[in-house]
Amino acid sequence: MLWSTRIIIALSLGAASVAMADDDRGAVLFQESFDNADLAKRGWYDLNAVRIAGGAHAGPGCIEYEWASAEAGVQGSSPARRLFPPTDRVYLRYYLKLSDGWGWSGRSYHPHLTHFLTTENGKWHGPAASHLTLYIEPVAGKLRLAAQDIQNKDQPHGLTQGPIRGGYNGRFYDSKDVLFRDDQWHCVEAYFQLNTLDRDRDRPNADGVVRGWFDGK
């Protein structure tokens, strides 16, 4: 993100949907249009501010997050959570727009935008250190899909998302090219499928799936 006291930087999320995938692809777990600020009435929680802006990809509104300066932190809308039935395969689609003048922080892990957390953790658990967190986010203009499971270090099957490095672990899958380079709406899609377990050998199988699309490609 570009920190400036003169330029307002905004990130907007448009219509979003979460569904089961493959043979269950038609089973929508939930969808959200962000047409108005009544998110709590539609099952969202752990939020204290919602700003709905115009100029949405579809419908009358979209949710907006703004950074006016480094000291101010995020403004406009706060982070929010949404529960849905557990599944071992999940597909996400949403529309994302970055404002004119948007820049990047230069940090290799920034900004964290959208996550899936496992039900092995509670509904209030933070995403940074869990039994499994999946990430879908733009980083330095590229689309990143990632996963970490640092809390599994003492579990019988151990870590599945790489070794611990400097207090974190994770596997990162970045797009080859820079994709977020303008102030237009773009469609972001992601699909995750959990790996299965080889119970005879007491270890995880390497059959998990991670896929991502940007504007359908």
Side-chain angles (χ1 to χ4, degrees):
M1 284 158 285
L2 175 65
W3 301 117
S4 171
T5 57
R6 298 185 300 276
I7 301 175
I8 293 178
I9 308 301
L11 174 154
S12 300
L13 282 176
S17 62
V18 175
M20 296 176 69
D22 289 346
D23 54 329
D24 297 313
R25 195 176 183 88
V28 177
L29 298 172
F30 81 89
Q31 56 188 12
E32 174 59 56
S33 64
F34 299 112
D35 286 343
N36 58 59
D38 294 330
L39 269 64
K41 295 180 180 179
R42 297 193 293 274
W44 294 86
Y45 69 101
D46 197 20
L47 70 164
N48 54 44
V50 179
R51 177 194 291 171
I52 301 299
H57 174 267
C62 58
I63 192 168
E64 184 177 65
Y65 295 84
E66 174 191 324
W67 288 262
S69 70
E71 294 76 17
V74 67
Q75 301 177 26
S77 300
S78 68
R81 303 174 187 247
R82 181 66 157 76
L83 297 176
F84 56 87
T87 175
D88 61 0
R89 293 163 294 154
V90 66
Y91 163 82
L92 167 70
R93 179 180 65 201
Y94 63 81
Y95 292 87
L96 175 66
K97 178 181 178 180
L98 306 179
S99 66
D100 184 27
W102 177 275
W104 304 98
S105 68
R107 301 175 185 177
S108 61
Y109 56 87
H110 209 249
H112 291 318
L113 181 59
T114 47
H115 317 84
F116 289 114
L117 275 78
T118 175
T119 51
E120 291 299 306
N121 292 107
K123 62 181 289 187
W124 302 101
H125 195 85
S130 69
H131 288 294
L132 182 65
T133 300
L134 307 177
Y135 300 81
I136 308 98
E137 55 201 18
V139 178
K142 296 184 177 183
L143 175 60
R144 170 172 292 174
L145 307 183
Q148 66 84 14
D149 66 341
I150 192 171
Q151 280 194 326
N152 289 337
K153 63 183 184 299
D154 298 322
Q155 297 299 308
H157 296 291
L159 298 170
T160 64
Q161 302 304 314
I164 296 177
R165 297 170 293 179
Y168 74 95
N169 83 317
R171 297 191 185 278
F172 306 91
Y173 307 92
D174 292 1
S175 62
K176 179 180 178 181
D177 300 320
V178 171
L179 304 174
F180 298 92
R181 57 174 72 248
D182 57 34
D183 60 351
Q184 303 301 307
W185 284 102
H186 295 286
C187 181
V188 175
E189 297 171 275
Y191 169 62
F192 296 91
Q193 178 177 305
L194 295 180
N195 61 278
T196 59
L197 295 177
D198 185 335
R199 299 189 182 279
D200 293 333
R201 298 182 180 182
D202 195 31
R203 68 184 187 186
N205 294 314
D207 58 358
V209 178
V210 178
R211 296 174 182 167
W213 298 264
F214 179 85
D215 288 339
K217 300 179 181 179

